[in-house]
Amino acid sequence: MKANAEAPDSSNAADIFKWIVAFALAAAAVVGNHLYGEMSVVIRAAAAVVLIAAALGVAATTTKGKQAINFARESRMEVRKVVWPTRQETMQTTLIVLAVSIVMALALWGIDGIMVRLINLVTGV
């Protein structure tokens, strides 16, 4: 892990302002969509997409936003390293899980039936 030094107060204040702007843009998308409900859906959707994109853009310039983008890039690199199963391996594993699930369901159904009969025998109901 990388050691992070304490951020200066001006950077912290700027980040707080950027988060407020980002939340205001996102809130404007939601409130605007509600207030202008009589307008065309296409126009409202386009406006919402633009406002949310602007909010994400502002949030991406903050310290936490940069860390999130860096994390996403590193995660993408890790996903590329994964050895994915073949279609045949996936089908075999799926069928095994399905078979075991059916066997367990039948076993639990049988145990439940036995337990109900035993309780009926003991209680006389």
Side-chain angles (χ1 to χ4, degrees):
M1 296 200 67
K2 298 176 184 174
N4 291 336
E6 282 292 320
D9 288 332
S10 62
S11 174
N12 192 19
D15 276 357
I16 291 172
F17 177 73
K18 289 176 187 177
W19 281 115
I20 291 171
V21 169
F23 285 121
L25 286 170
V30 173
V31 171
N33 190 36
H34 177 70
L35 290 178
Y36 295 104
E38 69 280 350
M39 291 185 75
S40 170
V41 174
V42 175
I43 294 172
R44 286 186 294 141
V49 167
V50 168
L51 286 171
I52 296 297
L56 290 173
V58 170
T61 62
T62 64
T63 304
K64 291 289 185 184
K66 290 175 185 175
Q67 289 174 354
I69 291 171
N70 189 33
F71 176 76
R73 285 186 183 138
E74 291 175 2
S75 297
R76 188 173 175 205
M77 288 175 18
E78 289 298 320
V79 167
R80 290 180 186 163
K81 297 177 186 177
V82 173
V83 178
W84 297 100
T86 64
R87 181 175 174 86
Q88 181 182 3
E89 291 171 337
T90 304
M91 291 300 293
Q92 288 173 347
T93 304
T94 302
L95 291 175
I96 290 169
V97 168
L98 183 63
V100 169
S101 297
I102 290 171
V103 168
M104 286 304 299
L106 291 173
L108 290 173
W109 178 60
I111 292 170
D112 182 55
I114 293 170
M115 296 289 284
V116 167
R117 286 186 179 82
L118 287 174
I119 291 173
N120 285 341
L121 182 67
V122 171
T123 61
V125 176

